[in-house]
Amino acid sequence: MIHMAFCSSLAYILVRVFKIVDPISMSLDTYLKSVVPIGALYSLSLWFSNSAYIYLSVSFIQMLKALMPVAVYSIGVSFKKESFKKETMINMVSISLGVAVAAYGEAKFDVFGVTLQLMAVAFEATRLVLIQILLNSKGIKLNPITSLYYIAPCCLVFLSFPWFVMEYPLLRDKSSLRFDFWVFGSNSLCAFALNLAVFLLVGKTSALTMNVAGVVKDWLLIAFSWSVIKDTVTPLNLIGYGLAFLGVAYYNHSKLVALKAAEAQKSVQKDDFEAGKLLEERNGKEDEESPRKNENRN
């Protein structure tokens, strides 16, 4: 909730004051029907994923997050945004199998924590699919800064409800608790810097590069949690996550190949269209010149 409050304020300053990016023309009806559901799902994803850290290790949570492509693809197929392909489904099964092996080898397995993280993955996957359905289909494209500008205030409102009901009574009763501005301020700044880094990375490369970087980040987090936080990472954990990693890597590769093929097809169609247009212009000029030639002969 603090992240969303900070990011909302900073995004407003960047968009309205410094005008680094232009705001998108969006009616109130579009905001209520498109942005609010996405904001609600995002807040649920944040709530459940952060709650999972109470029960599970950092390394194991990163392993469970490998299920994200499986959830996105499954929900995309159910909403008819993705076409069912046997090869892709086999790939999804291999990722799920790898995560299952990693879960089986987890030393600190907690059913409630795993349930929270899986629900967070499901909510996040649904949010990503809804972005395609509710925003992209209407021609609305959001970068990370404009996403924060529109969605963060909505998330702030939704996250305030569980905070007020579940956390505020505990904070109120503990009079010794003091708000650390340095810890929460620097933490919020890191959260905003992450979104800005995503914006720059996707702008310079592609969203697929962002996914590959995310996989590298997961490996670094697992190594960090094992070496610094002293999380228990078993060999079976690594074998399972290695299988899931290979599945995710193959999925990203398949998407890259499909993306390049689509771009090549668009390029060919564009070239054909321009060639046809030039041919029509040339034929038109020849038709205009033919009567003139006949007149000169006469």
Side-chain angles (χ1 to χ4, degrees):
M1 190 182 72
I2 293 169
H3 281 177
M4 291 300 107
F6 182 86
C7 289
S8 299
S9 305
L10 208 51
Y12 181 86
I13 293 170
L14 291 175
V15 173
R16 290 296 182 182
V17 179
F18 293 105
K19 297 182 180 180
I20 291 179
V21 293
D22 295 325
I24 295 165
S25 178
M26 188 183 300
S27 64
L28 180 62
D29 183 65
T30 303
Y31 185 85
L32 292 175
K33 290 181 179 179
S34 301
V35 176
V36 170
I38 292 170
L41 288 168
Y42 190 29
S43 62
L44 286 169
S45 172
L46 290 171
W47 181 13
F48 285 110
S49 63
N50 284 327
S51 300
Y53 282 96
I54 301 172
Y55 305 96
L56 303 175
S57 65
V58 174
S59 56
F60 185 46
I61 285 175
Q62 304 314 309
M63 295 176 190
L64 291 176
K65 284 182 180 180
L67 287 171
M68 183 61 71
V70 180
V72 171
Y73 179 73
S74 302
I75 294 170
V77 169
S78 64
F79 279 95
K80 297 182 179 178
K81 294 302 294 181
E82 293 274 357
S83 56
F84 179 83
K85 294 179 182 178
K86 185 179 178 182
E87 296 82 2
T88 307
M89 185 52 69
I90 292 173
N91 187 16
M92 297 298 109
V93 171
S94 69
I95 295 172
S96 303
L97 182 64
V99 174
V101 172
Y104 183 78
E106 175 60 20
K108 299 176 182 177
F109 186 88
D110 186 278
V111 175
F112 185 64
V114 170
T115 303
L116 287 173
Q117 184 56 44
L118 292 179
M119 289 176 70
V121 168
F123 285 128
E124 179 64 10
T126 308
R127 180 184 77 90
L128 294 174
V129 173
L130 278 187
I131 287 175
Q132 284 185 293
I133 296 173
L134 298 177
L135 294 179
N136 294 353
S137 61
K138 297 179 182 178
I140 300 173
K141 303 280 186 182
L142 297 179
N143 60 54
I145 295 178
T146 50
S147 294
L148 289 175
Y149 177 76
Y150 288 105
I151 297 174
C154 185
C155 284
L156 173 62
V157 173
F158 281 111
L159 288 171
S160 65
F161 289 108
W163 173 78
F164 188 77
V165 174
M166 302 176 66
E167 295 183 345
Y168 175 69
L170 295 174
L171 295 173
R172 181 190 56 201
D173 295 338
K174 292 183 179 180
S175 58
S176 60
L177 191 63
R178 293 288 179 270
F179 186 86
D180 194 323
F181 285 95
W182 167 249
V183 170
F184 286 106
S186 59
N187 195 269
S188 299
L189 193 61
C190 286
F192 187 83
L194 171 63
N195 284 279
L196 192 60
V198 169
F199 172 57
L200 294 172
L201 177 65
V202 173
K204 295 292 183 182
T205 56
S206 67
L208 192 65
T209 306
M210 168 63 198
N211 291 336
V212 174
V215 173
V216 176
K217 177 208 70 174
D218 291 340
W219 277 109
L220 290 173
L221 269 173
I222 291 171
F224 178 84
S225 62
W226 171 74
S227 60
V228 179
I229 309 176
K230 304 302 180 184
D231 276 346
T232 303
V233 179
T234 65
L236 203 55
N237 272 148
L238 295 177
I239 292 171
Y241 185 64
L243 290 172
F245 167 75
L246 291 175
V248 172
Y250 179 76
Y251 177 72
N252 287 334
H253 173 72
S254 301
K255 289 196 74 174
L256 178 61
V257 171
L259 186 64
K260 285 184 176 179
E263 287 178 353
Q265 188 177 5
K266 283 182 182 178
S267 178
V268 169
Q269 289 175 350
K270 186 179 178 183
D271 291 341
D272 290 343
F273 176 77
E274 289 177 353
K277 198 172 178 182
L278 287 171
L279 187 62
E280 285 179 6
E281 289 176 359
R282 191 171 123 196
N283 290 336
K285 286 180 180 179
E286 287 178 355
D287 292 340
E288 288 176 1
E289 290 175 356
S290 293
R292 291 175 186 170
K293 287 180 179 178
N294 291 332
E295 286 177 4
N296 292 332
R297 285 174 187 171
N298 292 333

